[in-house]
Each structure stands twice: as C-alpha cells, then as structure tokens.
Amino acid sequence: MRHAPCRSRRAAVLATVAVLALAGCGSDDGDEPKQGSRPVGGSSTASDPTTDVAPDADLPLTGDVELLDAGSAPRRVVLLQVEEGHTETTTIEMTATTTTAGQELTLPMTVPFTTTVSAVSDTAVDAEVVYGQPTVEPGDLPADAVAQAQASVELLDGTTATVSYAPNGTVLTSEVEVSPDAPDLVSRLLDNISSLGYASLAAFPDEEVGVGARWRATTTFTVGGVEQSVVSTYRLTALSDDGYELAMTGRSTTTPGDTVGGKVLEGSGTARGTLVGRTGLVSPLTSQGSGRGRTVVEVGGQRVETSYRTTSRLTTR
C-alpha cells in the first residue's frame, strides 16, 4: 500500500514527459544550444535503474500529401529555398498538463536545437540537427519528480540527428543515434522529445497553391516504443514571394502495444495551431499550437487512463 502513491506519481511524470512529444508547434526566444556538451556515446547520468539498451530512434516521417483545394490565384509551388551551410537556431517552449488517477501535473519545458544544411540538390535538402540542453521548469511537480524528468531529458543535450527533406518540406529519411549506455526508459523518452521539432514542420503539396488552399498530410512516429499516426489538415491563410502562413488541425491515433511503462491499450488526440514560415528557413519562423487527448495503459494488470492538454510555441532565428 505504501508503494502505490509513488508508482502512481512516477507513471504520471513519465506520461507528462511523453506527452511533450505530441506538442507539435512551439516556442519563444531562448538560450542558444550548447552543442556537443553531452555527446552521443557518453555515459548516462540518469538515475532510472532500467538497464535494457534502446535501439536507434526513428524520427517522424511524412507520408503522402494530398491536395484538397488549390485555393485562389495567384498560386505557386512552395519549396524550401536554403543553401548548403545555412544555419538556424530553433527554440521550442511547451507546457503539458496530464491527469492520471485524479492527480493533475503540469510540466513546462524548453528544448533548443540548431539545424545546419549539409547538402542541397534538386530532390533533397540534407541537414544536421544538434540538440541543446532541455530545461524543465518546476510547474506543479514535486521536487523529486522535477529531478527525475530533468535527468531523463538532459540526455538529449549534444545529440545529433541527420534528416533529409524533400523540396516541399516532407521528411524523407531521418536518423538519430542513442547512446548505448542510456537506459531504455530514458532513451525512449529522449526519442519522444527528439520528435518535437519535426512535428512542427509543414509539408506542402507538389502542386501550385494559393490563399485558401487546403491539403492533408500523414505523419508517423514512435512515442515510447508505440507507433503514433497524426493526420494533419493545413489551410493556407497568406502567401508571399518568400513566406506563408498556415492554420493546422490534426487528429492522432495510437497503435496498441507494449512499452517500458506498460501496455498501451488505446490513445487518441486532437491539435490545432498556426504557423508562419519563410522559404529561407527549414523550421517555421514562428508557430503556436494546443492539443488535448487521452491514453489508456495497462500497468500491473490495472488500466491507467491519462488525459492531457498541451500548449506550445516555437521561434527560429
């Protein structure tokens, strides 16, 4: 009986951290990333006792983009317009509030990363993404829970991902290495947070579009070892020679499966946001969004339902 509250709190903290991976858009001005301060392959400082070795992470991949309405004239094809060597710094600021077994927890967090374009061709834009040290704010978490969350996400600092984008912004391939010394639980949470920056990107159709255009894209990624699928619908609200503005709505579903925290039985969510982009940037110039949803996980033979709310902001410079 004495262990039940501790286990409930731990599950709630892990759920809160995992929810951050679904935040989508997000952030404000923040400190620049400290590249390489915790390089891949270094020893883990996490306090979690799990010892299984995690596989390399799979970042979100964009499926087919389906044009629903081309919008009004004038129209043009929206493409990434960046050169080799281009560097930009993005900061994602997000807050997740989860409710599990009647216990509500709020966790604010900031994640910085730097994107450097390594190669540009007619068919792809290749980039290297280096993550800085995430910062977890106290929110309403108890001190021990804040320390646990901070220890988990700090392993992201210095991690490098390689990503290949199609000219229209869809993610073709992606790869990020996880330290072989990282406990499975920590590295999977790390994978979740890694997906944040990519979830906020806009994938455009190959066709010409104008103001009022609508299209649909599907993004798949892994959260805690379980596959998530997000179907996003975009509406083009403004278009210029070098930029655009979008409104987005999304609906996510979770494929049932086993995780280190329990067996996921079901999960779903919705999100909406706005995004301002420049064709000379890989990430959005600014974006903000919100989401809500629920997951049901079987832990120790018991069903644990978690509902969540997220808000997020993103800025690139």
Side-chain angles (χ1 to χ4, degrees):
M1 294 295 293
R2 294 179 57 191
H3 297 290
C6 179
R7 183 172 61 184
S8 175
R9 173 185 292 179
R10 182 173 182 273
V13 171
L14 297 181
T16 303
V17 176
V19 159
L20 292 173
L22 304 179
C25 316
S27 176
D28 207 350
D29 291 339
D31 296 334
E32 291 192 6
K34 302 174 183 178
Q35 297 188 24
S37 58
R38 197 177 290 270
V40 171
S43 62
S44 167
T45 60
S47 58
D48 191 273
T50 309
T51 57
D52 293 341
V53 176
D56 289 347
D58 290 325
L59 297 179
L61 297 179
T62 310
D64 293 336
V65 179
E66 178 187 4
L67 181 63
L68 304 175
D69 185 337
S72 59
R75 304 183 184 95
R76 69 178 179 88
V77 178
V78 180
L79 301 173
L80 291 174
Q81 297 178 8
V82 293
E83 298 180 351
E84 183 177 336
H86 165 80
T87 298
E88 62 191 48
T89 299
T90 302
T91 308
I92 303 175
E93 184 181 38
M94 65 219 95
T95 299
T97 299
T98 63
T99 302
T100 304
Q103 182 180 19
E104 183 173 280
L105 296 177
T106 297
L107 179 66
M109 188 172 71
T110 300
V111 181
F113 60 89
T114 295
T115 301
T116 301
V117 176
S118 56
V120 178
S121 69
D122 292 338
T123 58
V125 173
D126 298 331
E128 179 181 86
V129 179
V130 179
Y131 289 88
Q133 180 172 323
T135 302
V136 174
E137 301 297 331
D140 59 8
L141 294 178
D144 60 338
V146 174
Q148 181 186 22
Q150 184 68 52
S152 296
V153 302
E154 274 187 354
L155 290 178
L156 188 60
D157 187 12
T159 296
T160 299
T162 55
V163 187
S164 181
Y165 305 91
N168 67 353
T170 61
V171 179
L172 300 173
T173 62
S174 61
E175 182 179 357
V176 58
E177 293 182 356
V178 177
S179 168
D181 298 325
D184 185 73
L185 176 60
V186 174
S187 54
R188 288 193 182 280
L189 292 176
L190 174 63
D191 299 346
N192 297 347
I193 298 170
S194 299
S195 70
L196 278 168
Y198 302 96
S200 65
L201 298 180
F204 282 84
D206 292 326
E207 298 88 347
E208 292 185 340
V209 292
V211 173
R214 294 187 305 112
W215 60 93
R216 182 184 298 123
T218 301
T219 303
T220 58
F221 52 97
T222 300
V223 175
V226 175
E227 184 177 281
Q228 292 273 349
S229 177
V230 180
V231 178
S232 301
T233 300
Y234 298 91
R235 179 170 59 88
L236 186 63
T237 56
L239 181 66
S240 63
D241 290 340
D242 65 349
Y244 51 85
E245 295 182 16
L246 299 173
M248 182 276 292
T249 59
R251 184 174 297 275
S252 65
T253 56
T254 304
T255 301
D258 294 323
T259 74
V260 293
K263 182 177 182 179
V264 175
L265 303 179
E266 58 181 285
S268 61
T270 59
R272 63 178 58 248
T274 58
L275 183 152
V276 177
R278 293 289 181 268
T279 51
L281 294 175
V282 177
S283 298
L285 178 66
T286 61
S287 66
Q288 57 183 348
S290 61
R292 61 177 58 243
R294 63 186 288 271
T295 60
V296 180
V297 181
E298 183 180 286
V299 181
Q302 295 183 339
R303 287 170 57 95
V304 178
E305 181 173 337
T306 298
S307 61
Y308 65 84
R309 305 188 308 275
T310 62
T311 61
S312 55
R313 293 184 297 168
L314 175 150
T315 297
T316 300
R317 63 181 186 275

